[in-house]
Amino acid sequence: MLNAWHLPVAPFVKQNKDQLIITLWLSGIGLPERVMLRTEIDNEETPLAMHRRRKTAANGVSIWQVALDISSGQPRRRYSFKLLWENRQLWFTPQGFSRFPPARLEQFAIDAPDDGPQWVADQVFYQIFPDRFARSQPRGEQQDKVYHHHAAGHPIVLRDWDDPLTAQAGGSTFYGGDLDGISEKLPYLKKLGVTALYLNPVFVAPSVHKYDTEDYRHVDPQFGGDEALLRLRHNTQQLNMRLILDGVFNHSGDSHAWFDRHNRGTGGACHNPDSRWRSWYSFDEQGRARDWLGYASLPKLDYQSPTLVEEIYQGEESIVRHWLKAPWNMDGWRLDVVHMLGEDGGARNNLHHISGITRAAKETLPQAYIFGEHFGDARQWLQADAEDAAMNYRGFTLPVWAFLANTDIAYDPQKIDAQTCAAWMDNYRAGLSHQQQLRMFNQLDSHDTPRFKTVLGKDVARLPLAVVWLFSWPGTPCIYYGDEVGLDGANDPFCRKTFPWDKKRQDAQLLALYQRMAKLRTRSQALRRGGCQVIYAQENVLVFVRVWQQQRVLVAINRGEACEVVLEDSPLLENRRWQAKEGNGLAQDGILSLPAISACVWLGQ
């Protein structure tokens, strides 16, 4: 049987000035007579002969190498391996062996040079829905001001922090969380291991979720206004924490001065065909504005308009650029429903405009982090470098849900085994460069989904497995506020409960697990930047190893009964003493002894 090993990291890839030294390990009976590296020069397929360097008798592995010139050409270096015998060939790719050449976008890929934000892979993110995280004291006179929420047809509802959520007035119900409240809780977040914050929208808007923007250039007074955001930015900088804002550029709110559905006298586009903002929205033949998914309060922005493009991202004083500059100095943008943004009420020329947003951000702040919201396949945008990364629902959240909770995002049944789960996750990763994989935004849940604890239902004992997985799979982990203390909740609005600051209502064991995993990830270069190889995936058990130079981290996820797993011989694992860092499993002589419903992590010494 022929075996091959390669990951797009050291020790398999090493840079020597203007060359990448690419290494392939092979073992087994009937080794190939020749090995070619299939790469590209200016998009032209180019074969490079690899040279067999030596044979290590101890493990029978033959080592093949070639130098790849990176002094010119496009920075994304795609490659695969062509194994040749006298009368046949095999190809080796991130998804293993194939008898036919791989698709261009399913090969190994390294960005050299890599001009993406270098800091992202080292972070532990925390997502905050501002109204529900923490309420500061004392409060400004504008913060609890009652106003009429036109879209809901009634005044906003103010509730005490511990009042239960109800399905009524979900978008109009305020609990008083604010940005100064976040500032006050930064020591808690620091202790948790958080190094970066992603905030749901903070700009002026009538709803609690703030996705119906009324003013892109000011922070909502209920959250403390512009001054509170400046204080939070200063406080996060003091703690070396990054801060990401939510960019809602697909649509505005209907109360925005540009649109003015409610006739506040701004000369907005809704009722005024001669409005200077009329071209910023799309209207049908009856003069009705096209909206987002049937929500009349969310009229779509129309990027056919050059002046809208200038205002949102292109102009030197555009909204995208404004918040990345002093005194705000934000670290990037999460782009809401980014795949739907475009022209003429739809997504026409979408890639052009998303690329424009990213380009404007990078011109203003070269290390800005731009990632999009995609529940579907985001690779079209990523492969075009229109974004740095995406919310990794398709490549992480959904397969984890399917494997541990037997459901998909629509709550339809989806029971898969470990082999299917591994194939799903590996297939998705195969379309991305190594650096892109490390920047993908991994979450177990968010403000747009039920809490994973609730999704698990009767299988809630599997929750710790998902937490370990979150911190050890390629990508930057993000904790949705409250997950770490066991907050539950079904779909919106119930996934947006207030944070339970009373420790009697918190799951202390779960919180401790989050803290341990955050610390382990921060201390492990392999977990933050290493390659990933699934080495066992059968029935209830999935095992993978993270590799960085000589570092190894072994992770085993077992959703079923206690069992023993015999790992195949692999040069990635041999000559290692495994030190348990999480879980009660044992790893010795290629055999893993796994407790029932467990996640185990070992460091290879």
Side-chain angles (χ1 to χ4, degrees), residues 147 149 151 200-220 246-262 264 281 296-301 303 311-312 319 323 333-334 336:
Y147 56 80
H149 186 190
N200 286 109
V202 298
F203 303 127
V204 178
S207 71
V208 69
H209 54 71
K210 306 293 180 199
Y211 284 97
D212 48 349
T213 314
E214 190 171 296
D215 186 344
Y216 287 98
R217 294 186 183 270
H218 292 286
V219 175
D220 199 292
D246 206 329
V248 189
F249 305 133
N250 171 70
H251 51 265
S252 74
D254 64 355
S255 60
H256 199 295
W258 301 342
F259 195 77
D260 192 26
R261 182 187 299 278
H262 310 297
R264 295 179 176 178
Y281 299 91
S297 61
L298 304 176
K300 280 268 293 183
L301 292 167
Y303 285 82
E311 172 70 13
I312 296 292
I319 293 161
W323 295 99
W333 289 99
R334 177 264 193 186
D336 182 58

Side-chain angles (χ1 to χ4, degrees), residues 416-429:
I416 62 175
D417 59 17
Q419 190 172 9
T420 303
C421 184
W424 179 349
M425 299 175 85
D426 280 348
N427 173 267
Y428 197 79
R429 288 196 302 128

Side-chain angles (χ1 to χ4, degrees), residues 483-600:
D483 275 0
E484 75 277 14
V485 295
L487 201 57
D488 61 3
N491 271 312
D492 175 22
F494 299 105
C495 57
R496 305 174 182 182
K497 294 179 180 178
T498 54
F499 191 102
W501 289 107
D502 182 353
K503 290 189 176 181
K504 295 177 183 177
R505 297 169 56 203
Q506 297 180 1
D507 185 333
Q509 284 188 318
L510 186 61
L511 176 60
L513 173 61
Y514 271 92
Q515 290 172 324
R516 291 195 305 273
M517 289 305 302
K519 183 179 294 185
L520 179 61
R521 188 178 188 277
T522 300
R523 293 178 175 177
S524 170
Q525 191 85 331
L527 288 180
R528 300 195 313 276
R529 295 181 177 269
C532 180
Q533 180 77 53
V534 174
I535 56 175
Y536 183 92
Q538 297 291 335
E539 299 299 331
N540 295 319
V541 179
L542 190 148
V543 183
F544 58 92
V545 62
R546 299 296 303 276
V547 175
W548 175 261
Q549 297 183 359
Q550 297 307 309
Q551 296 179 28
R552 302 288 186 272
V553 179
L554 189 63
V555 182
I557 308 293
N558 176 23
R559 71 180 181 186
E561 301 296 324
C563 63
E564 282 194 347
V565 169
V566 179
L567 302 178
E568 292 185 5
D569 290 340
S570 169
L572 294 177
L573 306 179
E574 66 182 16
N575 300 324
R576 301 278 170 173
R577 289 188 302 106
W578 296 102
Q579 179 186 3
K581 302 301 291 185
E582 187 59 49
N584 298 315
L586 297 175
Q588 192 170 9
D589 299 327
I591 299 175
L592 306 182
S593 299
L594 305 178
I597 311 179
S598 65
C600 302

Side-chain angles (χ1 to χ4, degrees), residues 259 261 270 278 282-291:
F259 195 77
R261 182 187 299 278
C270 182
R278 185 75 173 187
S282 296
F283 295 85
D284 63 19
E285 294 176 355
Q286 286 74 43
R288 293 174 301 206
R290 295 185 173 94
D291 55 42

Side-chain angles (χ1 to χ4, degrees), residues 398-460:
L398 300 187
V400 170
W401 279 33
F403 184 66
L404 294 180
N406 303 323
T407 189
D408 69 7
I409 197 71
Y411 266 138
D412 291 327
Q414 187 176 30
K415 188 169 185 176
I416 62 175
D417 59 17
Q419 190 172 9
T420 303
C421 184
W424 179 349
M425 299 175 85
D426 280 348
N427 173 267
Y428 197 79
R429 288 196 302 128
L432 305 176
S433 74
H434 175 66
Q435 288 85 352
Q436 287 178 312
Q437 292 178 35
L438 299 181
R439 295 183 187 118
M440 292 296 279
F441 199 80
N442 292 344
Q443 292 183 279
L444 296 176
D445 46 30
S446 73
H447 66 293
D448 284 325
T449 74
R451 298 268 181 175
F452 188 56
K453 180 178 180 179
T454 297
V455 173
L456 283 167
K458 62 181 177 58
D459 291 317
V460 71

